[in-house]
Amino acid sequence: MVHVYNCHPFASQNIVPTAQEPGVVCCGGGAVFVVSGGGCKIEAYQMQDDGCPLICRFSTMGAVRSILYSQIGDYLVTIEERNSATYLRAYTNWRYQASEKTRIGVRLLGHFLRGSSLRGAPKEQMEIIEMPLSEPPQCMACCALTGDLLVGCSRSSAVFSLKRQELSTRLAVLDFEMLVILHVPSWNVSHVAFCAGYVALQTELEVVVVKLEHMEKTCPSPEDQTQIPSSPGAARAGLTDADVKKELENPQEAEDFFVFPKHLELLGDDAKDCGISVSLEWVESEAGRGMTLTYVLYRRFAPDFFQGCSVEETCLHSLQLLPVFSGGCYGDSDPGVREPLCVFCFFSMPSAGYLYSLKNPVELISTYQYPEKAHQAALCDQFLYVITRNALQCFSVRCCSVAARAEDPYIDTTMKACPPVTMEVCALRIQLFIGLKSLCHSGKYIVLITAADVEGREETQGAARTTSKKMSRTKGVSDSGHGWNLYVISTVSTLQLYREMVEYSRRYEKTSPLSQNCLHLLSEAHLLVRSALLGLTGREAPDRDLLQQAFRESCAQLADCFSRVDRQDCHLALPYYKMSGLSVTEVIQRIVTPTGRSAEVADYGKGFLFFLKHSLYEETMEELSEETANTMLDIFSQSEPEQLPHVVNSRFMAKADPTCVLEHLSRLEVSGVSSVTLTLCKAAQALRLGQLQQYHQQMDRHTEMLQVFGFVEEPRLLLQGRGVAVTPTVFARHLHHTQDGLLVAAVVALHENSKVKLEEADLFFQELGKDSMDRQSLQVLVDFWEALLVASSQGTIIQELLSRLTSVYIDRVTRGERAGLVALRSAEDLMNSCSHYGQLYPWVNILTPSHPSTTQDHQEDLRKLQSLLCGPTLDVPPLLPLLKQLPDTDGGGVSVHVLSATRLGQLDISLQRLLDRCPEAVIPYAHHQLHGHTLALWWQKLFPELCERIRVSSGNGVLLAALKETVKVVAMELSPLEFLELLPDDGSSQFFLPHLLECCLRHGQSHGQSHGQSHGQSQGQSHSQSHGQYAHIVLEGE
C-alpha cells in the first residue's frame, strides 16, 4: 500500500503565452520549447521569469514530430517530416535567434562552411545540422553526461558523438560523428534512453538495457556478440523448441489461438539469456572501434487489463536513464567527464512504474502502483512525477538511498545509517488538473500540456476552480476558452518542503508517538535533504550550510523516533545520533526533559538505551557533568539495573556522586543481583569516599582468584582509555601500593582475555610508576612480564617478553643497582612454574656459588638470566649485542657468556673460556655438554689443551685433576692404538700407564664379547701379548 500525504511540493504555476495550441514540447536550459504553427515553428520561452517571456522563435525545415534538448552543447534535436520523408536534424546556437536578422546555416554533419565565411570576425548564426540515416528515425535520447545522441530506428539504433570542431583560431562549432550502430533484428523500438554508456531500448512490452564499453581489442570475438536465435519471436515469447515444432505441425490449430508472452525479468549476467540479439556495427569512426556491449537488464511484460484499458493500450512508456553523482563529483570541472555514482533505469506500464539500479548490483529498487491509468512519467533525483487524465502525482524515490550506500562504506554500520532502499515509496501530492496530455521536467520546473474535451468541460469546471485555489500562486490564468493550456509549474525549495514534512510528522507523533507513519515521513524528509546535498555544487555554499544543518536535524529526529520504539531496528538510534552531531548530554536532555517525569519513573525505549550503552562502552562521549551523570544512573537503575556495574566504571561518569553510586549499587545487590564485579565496584566507590573500613569489608568477601575474574568482566575498574591514552584508576593505584600481586595477576588475565594489549599494559604500569620515585614501583612492570611469560602461549608475545626480561636482567647485573628491590617471584619459583626458565646446569653453580657476601637481589637477577639461557625458548642470536655488554670479570659474567656460546654451538670457545677463567668447572661442563657428535672434543680439544697448560704450570692441582678425569673418559671411548697416538711424547708412564692398561682391558673384553665362546682361549692369549707390547712401548719411551 502506497502512503499518500498531503504535502505541497508545487510552489506556483505560470501559463506560457503561446498563441497556438502546442503540438510537441520539451524543456531544458531554463527554457521551454514549443512546437507550433503546424509543427514547422519552434518557440522558446523563459521558464524562470514570471509570465514566461518569449526568448526567440524560428522556423524548421519540416514538420516536427519529436523534439529533444541537450544541456551539454545547448542544442535541440528534432525528428521532422517533409514530403513523406523523415529527417533527423540538430539546431545549435539557437539563442542567436533572439535577434531578428540572425543568419542561419544549414549543413550535413561533418561538412563545414569554407572560404569567405570564415574570414574576419566569427559570425553569430544558428546552424542546422542534418544527420543522414539508413532508416527513418523513430525516437531519440541525449546523454546527460556527454551530450552524445542515440537515435532509434525500426531495426537498429545509431550512436552519435558530440564534438567541438575548431575551424580557426577564433571559431569553433559543434558537430556530430556516428560512432556505432546497434542492430536489433525483429525489434521495432518505440523509445530509447542513453546515459554513461548505458543504452536502453523499449518496445511495446519489452525493455533491454546494454552497456557500451571501450575495449583494448580492435576486432570483436565470438563471445562479444550474441547470435541471433533461429526463432527470435518464440524466444521472446518464452516458448521452447518443442512448442514451436508442435505449432508448425498443427497450423490450423495454431490459427485459433494467440500466444501471449510470459512475464520475465533477467538481471545482470542473466540478461544475456533473454533471446534478444544486439550486435554492433562499427562505422568509419576510430572512436567507435574497440567497443563491446554487455547485457545489463531485460524485462518483458504480458498484456493486461487495467481499469477498463484495452489490451492494445497496455504498453510501456516513459523510458528514462537517470545518473546520480557523488557530491565530490560536482564543481567547476568539465561535467562531460564526470563518472556517475549510480545509474537508474525507469519505465512504466499504465498501472505501475518500475525503477531499477544498474550498478553494483542490478536490482529492482521500487515498484509504483498508480491509483489510476498513467499516461506519462518523469524521474528526477528527488521525485517521480506521473500524470493521469486529471491529476499530477508526485512520488518519492529511493535513488538517494542507493547512492548513499555506494558512496559511503560506513552506511549500515554503527557509524552511519540511511533509510533502507526497500522502504515503501509514498505519494507526497496528487494535484488536480484538467485533461493532462504531456509532461516534461527540467531542474525545479515541470511543464504540462492540458487539453480538456469539450463534452467534459462542464463536469471539470468545479475541479478547475478548486485546482486554481489550491496552487499557491497562479500567473496569467487563461480565460480564452480555447480548451488547452501550457503550464510551467515550479517546485518549492528542498528546505521548505522538508520543514513541511517534519511539521506533518509531528501530527502523527502527537496522536501516536510510535506510529509507523511518523517514522516513514521523517525518513522521506531525510532522503529529500540527503539527495539535495548530493546535487550541490561548490557555488552553493550558503545552501550547503543550511542543508547540512537540516540534515543534522533530520538525523536527530530519526534517532529520537528510533529511540522510542521497541523494534528490531531500534539500534539505528545510535548511528543517527552520531550523524546528528549531538553530544550525549544533549541527547539525554532531548529524551528525559520532554517527558516531564523523573528519570527514575520514566519508560525508555530500547534504542535510547542501546545508544547510551554503546556510547559508554565505545568511549566516544564527553565527560558528563554531575547532574547528567546522576541522571544516567537513574536511567539505568530504572531500565537495565544489571548494567550499573559497567556504567559506573566509565571514565565519563567520573563526576557522578559516589554516595549516589553506592546507593544504586546497594539497591541492586538487595534486589538479588550479586557478583564479584558488583562487590569490586562498591569497593572502588568506598575508596573514592575514603571509607577504608568499608573498602576492606568488600575486598574480604572474595578470594583474590575470584577478584581477578571480576576485573576481567569489568576492566575499567583498573584502567581507563585505550592505546596511548590508557591511564590507571584510583583503585589500581591503591592496589599498586597494597596488593601488587593481585594487580599483576589481574592485568595478566586481562591480556590473556584480549581485554588489553601488551603495549597498553606497559603504559599502564609505567603510569603507576610515575607516582613514586622509588625503583620498587618500576619493579611491578618486570613482575608483570614474568607473570605474563608464565601464562602466555602466544609465540610472538613470548619472544618479546624474553627479549625484554633479558635486557632488564643484563642491565641490573651489569649495574649492580638492584639492592632493595623485591620481586613477586624468585628465580626458583620461575624455574619450577615456567617452562621457559630452565633448571641451572651443575657447572653453572660452580661458576656462581651462593656466598653470604653476595647481594641476594643481584644474585636473583643473575640466576633468572642463567635460567633463561638454560631454558629451551630463548632465541640467543638477536640478543648477542646485549649479552656482549655483560663483562666477564666474575663468575656470573663468565657463566652468561659460556651459556650463550653453548646455545650457539660454540663448545670449543666455551671450553677455552672455562679453562681461562674457571678450570674447576671444565670437567662438569664437559660431562654435561660433550655427548653424541660433540664427544670427540674430549680428546680433540680438552685433552691437548690440558696437557699444554700443565706443561706451563706443572704444579696446578686443578688442571692435573681435570686431566686425570679427561684421560679416564678418553680411555673409555678410544681404542688402545688411538689412545697411544694421543699420548704426548713427554708424558709420564706412571701417570698414563694405568689408563692405558684399563683401555686395553676394556678393549679386550669388548672384543672378546663380540666373538663366539669357541675362540675365547686364543683371543685371551692374543690380548695378553698385545698388553705386553703396549707396555713395552710405553716403558721404552720413558
Side-chain angles (χ1 to χ4, degrees), residues 960-974:
L960 288 173
L963 178 60
K964 183 178 295 187
E965 187 66 26
T966 302
V967 172
K968 288 182 180 179
V969 175
V970 173
M972 292 291 293
E973 299 296 335
L974 297 181

Side-chain angles (χ1 to χ4, degrees), residues 843-844 847-848 862 866 869 890-900:
W843 57 270
V844 176
L847 286 169
T848 55
L862 178 60
Q866 293 170 339
L869 290 169
D890 57 2
V894 173
S895 67
V896 172
H897 286 289
V898 172
L899 283 169
S900 302

